[in-house]
Amino acid sequence: MSVAINLVINGYQHAIALDDPRVTLLDLLRDRLHLTGTKKGCDRGQCGACTVLVDGRRINSCLSLAASLDGAEIHSIEGLADGETLHPVQAAFIAQDGFQCGYCTPGQIMSAIGLISEGHAGDDPERVRELMSGNICRCGAYQGITEAVLAAQKRMAEKDDGGARQTGAA
Ligand code: FES
Ligand code: FES
């Protein structure tokens, strides 16, 4: 049984005919759309390697059925950079040594972006660690990851603040 869905993925409209209604968003991205930046770690919701944003919220794509997401807007790691210019969270992960092997990194970065946009990051490392705890790093790069989230959060807040001042917004 084929299931027709429409998704906007990294700004591009996709009309997709799923030949199997049980396919997960993770397998759709990786195996069918060849967006392999999103990683499969555990495939059971325990590691966070597969984190993407769905309508702005971070989710484990290995636990989400693609068929249930008709009309959703998906953001994955491939859509972050603007040409050669990295997203501030990507740049912060590099500047703060937020990775070693890099396997967990796309999920960490997408989770960090979700966390920052939720407005929960603040400046407390312990809180950041807690709110990023769904993303496991087998290399143990947690200190750099936490520092990267804090640095990116600060930079993005300053940028927003600068923009608001320039436009006279409250
Ligand atoms: Fe999805 Fe591990 S692969 S949580
Ligand atoms: Fe290797 Fe996180 S950098 S698993």
Side-chain angles (χ1 to χ4, degrees), residues 3-4 7 9 13 15 17 25 34 44 49 56 60 73 79 84 97 114 142 150-151 154 164 170:
V3 178
L7 297 174
I9 303 175
Q13 189 80 42
L25 176 59
H34 308 295
R44 59 179 65 180
N60 290 329
E73 186 166 4
E84 296 295 307
D97 284 333
Y142 293 111
L150 290 168
K154 189 159 175 266

Side-chain angles (χ1 to χ4, degrees), residues 7-8 21 30 32 37 44 50 70 93 105 126-127 141 145:
L7 297 174
V8 178
R30 286 184 56 83
R32 303 178 187 213
R44 59 179 65 180
C50 64
D70 185 30
F93 267 71
T105 310
E126 196 50 48
R127 186 162 170 71
I145 291 167

Side-chain angles (χ1 to χ4, degrees), residues 99-105 136-139 141:
F99 57 90
Q100 288 183 34
C101 77
Y103 195 82
C104 72
T105 310
I136 307 298
C137 175
R138 280 184 290 184
C139 298

Side-chain angles (χ1 to χ4, degrees), residues 26 39-43 45-50 60 62:
L26 176 60
K39 300 304 183 206
K40 183 180 281 191
C42 63
D43 208 18
Q46 292 178 347
C47 73
C50 64
N60 290 329
C62 70

